[in-house]
Amino acid sequence: AQTVTQSQPEMSVQEAETVTLSCTYDTSESDYYLFWYKQPPSRQMILVIRQEAYKQQNATENRFSVNFQKAAKSFSLKISDSQLGDAAMYFCAYRTSFQGGSEKLVFGKGMKLTVNP
Amino acid sequence: DGGITQSPKYLFRKEGQNVTLSCEQNLNHDAMYWYRQDPGQGLRLIYYSQIVNDFQKGDIAEGYSVSREKKESFPLTVTSAQKNPTAFYLCASSKLAGGYNEQFFGPGTRLTVL
């Protein structure tokens, strides 16, 4: 079974600075998807960024980018120019790409990010 | 506006009672999912359904039941057999057209057992 590990339960960053959130995963599959979700105090889950394992290029979405290291099974999220609105729980998640599979998401335990003004 | 609605937002239950959480989507998605979230934990899958009248157990299905009589609706019943039902419950849905299909989440229901 696949597992996702977020080893840092909490982090803080100063506004306008850069922070990196770490995630590792375990799988025997060669093709899959990885995601970062954000859960602000409203508790609405919001997709931040996704990465397809067969793509070598790291995904980017505005201030958010990932460092995907497939051999190391590592998937870290970098937030640049941190803003107060970035304060939230962040969850790393894995999904198989197997066609006909359940498409269920396997989540890490999350990490609480605090942004200091 | 298209989206996922969950009701109620807060739900209180006495021990020994069954309660049903509602989840409705108007995104025309085939698949629907129920997740449970506990403090310090990620989301864990309870049940999922990829087609009407069919559903599969997730990782923590014991004490829960679901139905999928309509494509738009996927209610979750928390039965008295669930030993520790106090948690935040999230419903999600996605297309099943092959390739990547984003899961969209509802706003959640907070269940508290008194």
Side-chain angles (χ1 to χ4, degrees):
Chain A
Q2 295 85 15
T3 59
V4 176
T5 301
Q6 294 178 251
S7 57
Q8 303 156 299
E10 293 191 43
M11 293 186 74
S12 63
V13 63
Q14 291 296 124
E15 196 175 4
E17 294 192 345
T18 296
V19 63
T20 299
L21 287 57
S22 63
C23 172
T24 58
Y25 59 94
D26 188 30
T27 183
S28 58
E29 297 177 336
S30 60
D31 197 17
Y32 44 87
Y33 297 98
L34 296 165
F35 306 86
W36 279 99
Y37 279 87
K38 169 184 177 181
Q39 188 181 43
S42 67
R43 306 201 77 172
Q44 177 73 52
M45 294 289 284
I46 302 165
L47 178 64
V48 174
I49 198 165
R50 68 178 174 95
Q51 175 78 41
E52 297 170 76
Y54 68 88
K55 289 188 176 180
Q56 299 287 348
Q57 189 172 5
N58 289 324
T60 62
E61 288 286 345
N62 300 315
R63 298 182 295 108
F64 299 88
S65 62
V66 300
N67 183 5
F68 174 51
Q69 301 290 327
K70 191 173 184 179
K73 295 181 181 176
S74 172
F75 182 60
S76 61
L77 174 69
K78 185 172 80 171
I79 305 175
S80 304
D81 185 26
S82 297
Q83 300 176 359
L84 295 177
D86 295 333
M89 287 290 295
Y90 285 83
F91 293 94
C92 181
Y94 171 103
R95 203 208 86 188
T96 182
S97 68
F98 168 64
Q99 294 299 313
S102 71
E103 300 202 14
K104 71 175 186 179
L105 292 169
V106 178
F107 286 87
K109 292 187 176 182
M111 192 224 67
K112 181 179 180 180
L113 179 66
T114 301
V115 180
N116 300 311
Chain B
D1 289 335
I4 303 175
T5 57
Q6 291 186 243
S7 61
K9 187 173 182 179
Y10 299 98
L11 185 57
F12 298 90
R13 188 194 93 172
K14 293 181 180 179
E15 284 194 28
Q17 286 182 336
N18 293 353
V19 289
T20 298
L21 283 58
S22 170
C23 178
E24 304 275 336
Q25 54 97 2
N26 61 4
L27 300 167
N28 198 32
H29 285 171
D30 301 296
M32 298 187 74
Y33 312 81
W34 274 105
Y35 294 91
R36 169 178 171 145
Q37 185 178 17
D38 295 284
Q41 301 288 327
L43 280 65
R44 293 179 291 168
L45 183 67
I46 305 172
Y47 268 99
Y48 65 97
S49 168
Q50 295 179 306
I51 194 171
V52 172
N53 293 323
D54 188 44
F55 45 84
Q56 287 77 41
K57 293 182 179 180
D59 300 317
I60 56 166
E62 185 175 354
Y64 299 97
S65 66
V66 293
S67 62
R68 186 87 186 275
E69 298 178 0
K70 299 186 299 181
K71 187 176 183 178
E72 304 79 20
S73 178
F74 191 41
L76 173 74
T77 297
V78 184
T79 74
S80 57
Q82 170 49 235
K83 300 304 180 188
N84 185 22
T86 293
F88 187 66
Y89 292 86
L90 283 158
C91 179
S93 71
S94 69
K95 294 181 181 179
L96 281 179
Y100 165 72
N101 296 297
E102 180 181 347
Q103 283 193 21
F104 292 84
F105 285 82
T109 292
R110 173 69 183 174
L111 173 63
T112 302
V113 174
L114 303 173

